[in-house]
Amino acid sequence: MGLGSGNKHQNESQAFNLGFSQNGSASKLYDDDGRLKRTGSVWTASAHIITAVIGSGVLSLAWATAQLGWIAGPIVMLLFSVVTYYTSVLLADCYRSGDPISGKRNYTYMDAVHANLGGLQVKLCGLVQYVNLFGVAIGYTIAASISMTAIQRSNCFHENGEKGKCDISANPYMIIFGVAEILFSQIPDFDQIWWLSIVAAVMSFTYSTIGLGLGIAKVAINGKFRGSLTGISIGMVTQTDKIWRSFQALGDIAFAYSYSMILIEIQDTVRSPPSESKTMRKATLVSVVVTTLFYLLCGCFGYAAFGDLAPGNLLTGFGFYNPFWLVDIANAAIVIHLVGAYQVYCQPLFAFIEKFASDTFPDSDFITKEIQIPLPGGYKAYNLNLFRLVWRSIFVIITTIISMLLPFFNDVVGFLGALGFWPLTVYYPVEMYISQKKIAKWSTKWVSLQILSVACLIITIAAAAGSVAGVVFDLKSYKPFKTTY
């Protein structure tokens, strides 16, 4: 924490102490921890969650529904929503340690794990969380490049017809995206990218709504709902492939629902009374209902439009050729969203490495020295840190190179969903809740929670296996750095 930030909290704390009335109640300006009053409500928390959840994962839901069929597809989406809601409620109860109204606050997911489980669990949680964030950076680079090639392909099809040869290499677009992320990654702190997050949120609703609208229009043109009760038919794929693809579909759906790693951070913006956990329960219910409805519409109308041929990415798999300008707008919105989303997810990882480096080498000028660079137009000087410049640039370059080596959108999305779902959405919330509420071992509630955790672990293993099988299958016809769409 920088000196300015330390002084700020010191001043807040002093003002907070002065702000107490004689009977010891908190002042009107400060919360019980000495920080300025939080002002968040059910609606702001719901908005944050919906913004975080509705991302590029929504585009793979038509494909996922096609693998599972009209019966299992919607049921699996509903089951994931119920599990996500339930475990989010358990996690919300872990925001405060002890008393739900006056207990010590845990400001981040890692703080909650540290307070409730401690020791090795914190390190394991950190490892899973940061590996997942690294994987998300790769997944977003792939998704952005596919959308950029889709714009060029859409224009090519418009000029040459749907049968035209419009194969385009994704590599230049991955490099362009990487260069953009190197520039944006030099924004020092998470709190300075709020504007990027707002733009990204608007873009995510834009392309999701366009995808849904095009799906509905396609169904209207077809005059019927395509698809079958059991999903993609044997013959289109082999029986073994159908099993693997069904497993992978589970991972894709899990990825679309994942937001647990930032739930505690969102809860830390909520005012009290009532207790933050009560507000968060309502916000979680509102946001999970809204996103589930949106997901069911996108997944089902995408499947109804294309049946067994539903593309892996609804807006780039070239189900839609016209109106080409609307497809272009949707894909441009995806790219802009992913530029911002990449930073939102990577900033905690950047901060973790930089804090570790400065704690380990406090006397190194390369790591700690800030060089002030004056900016024209009366803007505040930019603080250049050489370590930040070098390490963040290397990070982006590595994720870009890996993306060029493994450009498989659906497989990567499925694997990321599997990797993050069980540990972060189920295991840690369940274990922290058991620890905090001191639930007796082998009691009915303890057994029920463990059954839920083990069932979700089995789904996670199946989803990961399906995604790895998908990558292995794709590698059979793949040449490194020669990816075209």
Side-chain angles (χ1 to χ4, degrees), residues 158-202:
H158 179 66
E159 289 172 13
N160 303 318
E162 293 179 14
K163 305 294 182 186
K165 186 168 173 57
C166 296
D167 293 340
I168 293 155
S169 172
N171 289 343
Y173 293 106
M174 287 192 193
I175 293 167
I176 290 168
F177 185 79
V179 170
E181 292 305 339
I182 287 174
L183 293 173
F184 280 113
S185 69
Q186 298 312 313
I187 299 171
D189 300 312
F190 195 79
D191 62 350
Q192 293 175 26
I193 61 167
W194 58 269
W195 57 273
L196 201 57
S197 189
I198 289 172
V199 171
V202 172

Side-chain angles (χ1 to χ4, degrees), residues 116-138:
N116 289 287
L117 302 175
L120 180 63
Q121 292 280 36
V122 180
K123 291 176 181 170
L124 288 173
C125 176
L127 181 65
V128 170
Q129 195 171 358
Y130 294 129
V131 166
N132 208 36
L133 293 176
F134 180 72
V136 166
I138 294 166

